[in-house]
Amino acid sequence: MKDVMHHWLPDRHLGVAATLSHSDELIGQVANLLFDYQTQPDGVFGLAEVPAGPFSQSVVERVAPIPRKIPLLVADALVALRAALEHALFAEVEFLNGSPLDEKAARLVEMPASDTYEKFEEWKKRRAKQGPPSLRAGSELVRRIDGLQPFQRRSDPHMHPLARLVLHTNHAKHRTPAITAVRISRHVPGRPEASLDP
């Protein structure tokens, strides 16, 4: 079998392709688990009919718990996606600078997720003196990073894909393990406006 040549992908980013492939495998595992969960023989929800005077009420008798492995795999996939961004940036910085970075400069290579222009300016200032030349204000790479920032989405920067990715991965890495909650709406007879209250 011949090696497949990917002329569109520079050699320096082959490691990033492997990271993306790993994330894709994790997402595939999530899809398989969800398919099994949603097609289980007894169903996800169990309903029961309860006599209520002259009427009969349908009540939720049981809800099948989502397998704990699903949110853990989702968190792993998101962390891998964020790692791919960081790996791509680091490889590009080293390539543009023409040599491996010293430890001080290497610590300043990170993909920001700034929700305001001011925060992005602060990110640039921290790299002005000791950061790699390719990450200094005015460089082509910084211009490209600027275009990817959440503050560019004027309507709601916090819903920008990069902002969501950073929020979820930071939460999973630093606060609590990923969890999935199943909530069922509550119906209150005589109060239709409250029928979807949790």
Side-chain angles (χ1 to χ4, degrees):
M1 178 187 242
K2 289 185 175 181
D3 288 338
V4 178
M5 299 297 290
H6 299 288
H7 299 291
W8 56 271
L9 183 66
D11 287 348
R12 64 185 177 274
H13 292 305
L14 289 177
V16 175
T19 303
L20 289 171
S21 176
H22 174 62
S23 180
D24 189 53
E25 287 176 10
L26 292 169
I27 292 167
Q29 290 177 41
V30 170
N32 290 336
L33 286 169
L34 281 173
F35 180 80
D36 292 343
Y37 171 73
Q38 293 168 344
T39 59
Q40 57 188 292
D42 294 334
V44 175
F45 298 99
L47 300 176
E49 291 296 317
V50 177
F55 303 103
S56 178
Q57 294 180 339
S58 290
V59 297
V60 177
E61 191 174 49
R62 64 171 183 79
V63 178
I66 291 178
R68 182 72 178 131
K69 187 77 171 166
I70 291 175
L72 294 173
L73 284 171
V74 168
D76 290 346
L78 292 174
V79 168
L81 287 172
R82 186 170 176 188
L85 286 175
E86 300 290 346
H87 296 167
L89 179 61
F90 196 88
E92 202 62 19
V93 167
E94 283 201 323
F95 172 77
L96 292 172
N97 288 300
S99 61
L101 302 175
D102 63 49
E103 192 56 37
K104 186 177 274 190
R107 281 196 301 268
L108 292 171
V109 179
E110 64 178 1
M111 176 60 82
S114 306
D115 58 356
T116 66
Y117 176 78
E118 292 74 22
K119 288 180 184 176
F120 187 64
E121 288 299 305
E122 284 299 315
W123 179 86
K124 289 194 293 188
K125 282 181 190 174
R126 288 194 298 272
R127 281 139 192 86
K129 292 183 181 177
Q130 297 176 345
S134 58
L135 278 186
R136 293 186 187 153
S139 74
E140 172 62 15
L141 185 56
V142 169
R143 185 192 67 74
R144 288 160 56 195
I145 292 170
D146 182 315
L148 298 172
Q149 293 306 295
F151 72 82
Q152 298 290 357
R153 177 181 270 188
R154 305 213 192 290
S155 60
D156 189 356
H158 297 101
M159 293 305 292
H160 186 281
L162 182 57
R164 304 307 297 170
L165 180 64
V166 168
L167 174 72
H168 291 308
T169 54
N170 282 351
H171 201 276
K173 288 190 309 182
H174 303 299
R175 293 190 184 177
T176 61
I179 58 170
T180 301
V182 176
R183 301 185 73 184
I184 301 173
S185 63
R186 176 180 54 172
H187 177 72
V188 180
R191 292 182 55 213
E193 74 282 358
S195 62
L196 296 179
D197 287 351

